[in-house]
Amino acid sequence: MNRIAVVVPAHDEQALLPGCLASVLDSLRHLPVRSEVIVVADDCRDATAAVAERLGVVVLTVRARNVGRARAAGMAYALRDGPQGLWLATTDADSRVPRRWGGWQLRHARAGTDLLVGTVRVTDWAPRATPVRDRYEARYRQGLTGAGHRHVHGANLGCAATAYERLGGFADLRHGEDHDLVERGRRQAMRVVADAGCAVRTSARRHGRAPHGFAGYLDALETDLRPPTVESGRMPCGGCTVA
């Protein structure tokens, strides 16, 4: 591998995007290969595109309001000179990658990985209640195994460009495009590596950008933790009723 491209889809992300891009650029700075960062500003009503341009990255503008289509647009641009020698990586605009992330991606690329599936961690739980954090972290630990993990995140994903093309790229999905790509790779017996050794820091914000995305998952956990309510004379006691 002698090239790496990082795609960041972004919908109204002017506040969090600078931190994301600073972390990505820092992780790529000393790699011994050519690199570029591509922000796909998707149906933005704020200064997302201008913020990205000021930081010197490639900016594409789409009107899809669809994270699968936005990621695919960024990947298509990265592939403009063909797939040979190219590694494709992606993260999310509300996330920050560690400094060693670029090198970690490149090591897997050079080791022959087709699809690299990483993990995430949340460091700021201020927008969420403590029980939500505890439930999330307990469930997340259950997905960690001795051999790797069972999680999939668009915030921490990599793919050999040749494998990406064989899979037909990201599907036109408003959510779950990351799971879909990885599942297709597994069905085709590609070398899918789940490595929990380089977690990306992500946001616990309440207002996510993709329906049923990470914020939606945390919302569902919060809903599950709410005490049942009494409605129409029925009590939350396993089917008992009050006279």
Side-chain angles (χ1 to χ4, degrees), residues 59-75:
V59 181
L60 306 179
T61 301
V62 298
R63 296 290 179 190
R65 194 63 182 96
N66 179 304
V67 67
R69 201 181 303 173
R71 272 195 226 277
M75 298 297 185

Side-chain angles (χ1 to χ4, degrees), residues 65 89 143 158-159 161 173 184 191 193 195:
R65 194 63 182 96
C159 189
L173 297 172
R184 282 185 279 132
R191 188 179 179 194
V193 178
D195 184 353

